Amino acid sequence: MQLRRARPAVAPLCTAALVLTAACGGGSGSDDDVTLAYWLWDDRQIAQYQQCADDFTAETGVEVDISQYGWEDYWSNLNTQFAARRAPDVFTNHLAFYPQFVANEVILPIDEYIEQDEVDLGQYFPGLADLWVGQDDQRYGLPKDWDTIAYGYNAEYLEDAGLTEDDLWNATWDPSDGGTFEEIIASLSVDVNGVRGNEPGFDADNVAVFGLSFDNPSNSASGQTSWGNFAHSLGFELLADGNPWGTDYQFDDPRLAETLDWFGRMIEAGYVTPLSDLQGVGYVSLFEAGDVALAINGSWAIGSLTGIDGIEVGFAPLPEGPQGRWSIYNGIADSIAVNTDHPDEAWQWVKHLGSVECQNIVGEHAVVFPAIPESLEIAEEVRADAGLDVSAYTTYLEEEATFLHPVTTNFDQVTQAVGSAVDEILLGSRPAAEALQEAQEQVDSIMGR
């Protein structure tokens, strides 16, 4: 993405107090207007941030050029642009990737800007701002939204199976017998002859409706939208030496093997969509086609399910395991590329994105959960007015039942190593304990242990 210079008259944003002003060619003293390049990956959020950008431009005179790429292309393009020192001035960042950006010194610390402008980090939900403090004690992003995991359900299918919303909210899970959750997904599964999974004669090889589906389980070492939350409900911790910044992954923990073996058995039983479908058409398309009754879903993708014509959707939290009901808690932030020609203007844009003004706009669009509590209230009111109850996602915060998405270096490499093992387990080609032990050895090598 090329930076563009346009008309004269830039709002003077640089200050002598900032170390970073040495690189501030487009700020104070320049006669050029500035256009900042801003990248994001979610096309459903373009409208809200364009509205924020329009307000920002009206206030500062700095233009913002928004570009959107799909998730995988986004990170691939971003790394390519970092290597060429042409990365966008500001971009939406993720906990899974920012540690490596810090290690590679391609994003700017913003501590001095925050101190200079007296940004109140306490305005955000507890813990969100701290996620973006690196091992060097410098801060690399300002919160914009957060997410948890629950599942959406097809209300018609639920009623047809004789189940209620309370059955889902009170579901229990254990890998030994599956708890009531296994009974639920069994009764929601229907073969091509109309036989349910909890009835004699169910044909697991010819299933018309699967009880449960989720995102590709091998695309994240955290198992964020699949196995990770279930394993945590057994007491499993992904990192033994703490999170953020731990390095001692525990993929060989027997509790994780028990969890993934259970998922493998559910696929074999015909209650969960097979891996080929999870990695192929994907759970949203399957849900839209009526092939799935329950879909584990991140709060960022609520609209993917509610926007489907002809399907009434409800939401429920994940089942309660032996150690409670848990969800991964992930925070998103905006960061500044070190190659920007306009660090001061980029900071002003990042600050605006994390402000009450922009966060309230995010709340009004109700695509994601804003990082500021009063903005979240707006989002909840918008959804309530539309007849949509999303408390399945917020209940974890009220119950203090969240755990952090891993914040470590080399997460992408770790994901590749573990993803292959998860594939083998869910395909039924290897026992979980054996596959995960081999993955653990690879991960230890990646992490230098």
Side-chain angles (χ1 to χ4, degrees):
M1 179 61 61
Q2 296 289 327
L3 296 178
R4 292 187 285 130
R5 289 177 181 273
R7 303 181 305 275
V10 172
L13 300 170
C14 289
T15 65
L18 297 176
V19 174
L20 296 173
T21 51
C24 186
S28 66
S30 171
D31 291 333
D32 291 336
D33 271 357
V34 172
T35 297
L36 298 173
Y38 176 56
W39 283 18
L40 49 79
W41 63 73
D42 188 350
D43 59 345
R44 295 164 301 183
Q45 298 190 54
I46 293 175
Q48 65 197 36
Y49 287 118
Q50 186 59 61
Q51 190 173 341
C52 290
D54 291 344
D55 291 347
F56 176 73
T57 300
E59 179 181 340
T60 66
V62 177
E63 302 278 351
V64 179
D65 184 9
I66 299 177
S67 296
Q68 179 271 329
Y69 301 91
W71 174 261
E72 292 186 3
D73 288 342
Y74 181 85
W75 298 107
S76 175
N77 289 343
L78 193 56
N79 279 302
T80 299
Q81 297 303 318
F82 273 133
R85 295 189 61 79
R86 296 197 306 251
D89 303 274
V90 179
F91 65 99
T92 304
N93 209 345
H94 193 282
L95 292 178
F97 298 99
Y98 105 86
Q100 203 61 47
F101 294 152
V102 173
N104 294 341
E105 299 181 345
V106 294
I107 55 177
L108 286 178
I110 57 175
D111 303 80
E112 294 185 46
Y113 284 119
I114 289 173
E115 182 178 356
Q116 171 203 271
D117 289 351
E118 298 180 344
V119 174
D120 177 15
L121 298 176
Q123 69 182 315
Y124 303 111
F125 276 99
L128 287 185
D130 294 341
L131 293 173
W132 298 89
V133 178
Q135 289 176 292
D136 57 3
D137 290 329
Q138 298 193 89
R139 192 176 301 274
Y140 290 92
L142 213 54
K144 60 188 301 180
D145 63 63
W146 58 272
D147 54 73
T148 56
I149 310 299
Y151 45 68
Y153 60 85
N154 184 315
E156 180 182 352
Y157 288 174
L158 196 71
E159 183 177 356
D160 290 347
L163 297 168
T164 67
E165 184 178 4
D166 285 345
D167 292 327
L168 297 181
W169 275 77
N170 296 317
T172 61
W173 174 81
D174 187 290
S176 61
D177 61 9
T180 65
F181 187 65
E182 182 172 324
E183 296 172 6
I184 288 170
I185 62 173
S187 63
L188 288 168
S189 301
V190 184
D191 70 15
V192 293
N193 297 312
V195 180
R196 294 189 176 275
N198 60 347
E199 296 173 340
F202 175 71
D203 185 355
D205 294 325
N206 293 286
V207 178
V209 177
F210 292 94
L212 179 66
S213 190
F214 38 80
D215 201 4
N216 178 7
S218 51
N219 70 358
S220 171
S222 69
Q224 183 183 13
T225 51
S226 54
W227 49 266
N229 305 288
F230 288 75
H232 195 83
S233 74
L234 295 178
F236 168 72
E237 296 284 354
L238 192 58
L239 291 157
D241 53 346
N243 184 29
W245 307 114
T247 61
D248 189 7
Y249 280 100
Q250 300 294 298
F251 291 110
D252 56 354
D253 188 311
R255 290 169 292 191
L256 180 56
E258 292 176 30
T259 301
L260 284 167
D261 273 336
W262 179 82
F263 275 97
R265 291 199 303 274
M266 294 304 97
I267 290 177
E268 185 176 5
Y271 304 160
V272 172
T273 46
L275 185 63
S276 58
D277 284 345
L278 299 177
Q279 296 179 334
V281 295
Y283 77 97
V284 173
S285 295
L286 293 169
F287 193 88
E288 183 175 9
D291 295 343
V292 167
L294 300 181
I296 299 175
N297 200 42
S299 54
W300 64 87
I302 290 172
S304 298
L305 302 184
T306 58
I308 299 172
D309 289 338
I311 296 180
E312 182 184 349
V313 179
F315 296 95
L318 297 171
E320 182 174 352
Q323 300 298 317
R325 185 200 315 273
W326 294 91
S327 169
I328 288 183
Y329 184 48
N330 181 44
I332 305 298
D334 288 301
S335 296
I336 303 172
V338 74
N339 61 251
T340 180
D341 289 333
H342 311 291
D344 285 1
E345 290 87 347
W347 158 247
Q348 291 297 328
W349 172 230
V350 167
K351 186 175 70 170
H352 184 74
L353 288 165
S355 69
V356 171
E357 290 77 15
C358 179
Q359 289 279 293
N360 284 350
I361 291 172
V362 172
E364 291 165 2
H365 283 257
V367 176
V368 292
F369 292 149
I372 295 176
E374 72 173 72
S375 305
L376 174 64
E377 291 178 6
I378 294 173
E380 290 179 314
E381 289 172 2
V382 170
R383 285 177 166 129
D385 290 344
L388 192 61
D389 179 4
V390 295
S391 60
Y393 294 93
T394 58
T395 187
Y396 302 106
L397 268 62
E398 296 162 4
E399 298 174 359
E400 298 183 349
T402 61
F403 61 103
L404 289 179
H405 187 287
V407 182
T408 68
T409 56
N410 302 317
F411 189 77
D412 213 20
Q413 296 176 58
V414 172
T415 290
Q416 291 182 36
V418 176
S420 298
V422 172
D423 286 353
E424 290 180 304
I425 297 164
L426 299 188
L427 287 170
S429 58
R430 290 183 80 182
E434 179 183 308
L436 291 171
Q437 178 59 48
E438 184 176 306
Q440 180 66 50
E441 294 170 4
Q442 294 177 37
V443 170
D444 284 343
S445 176
I446 291 168
M447 301 304 291
R449 298 184 64 86

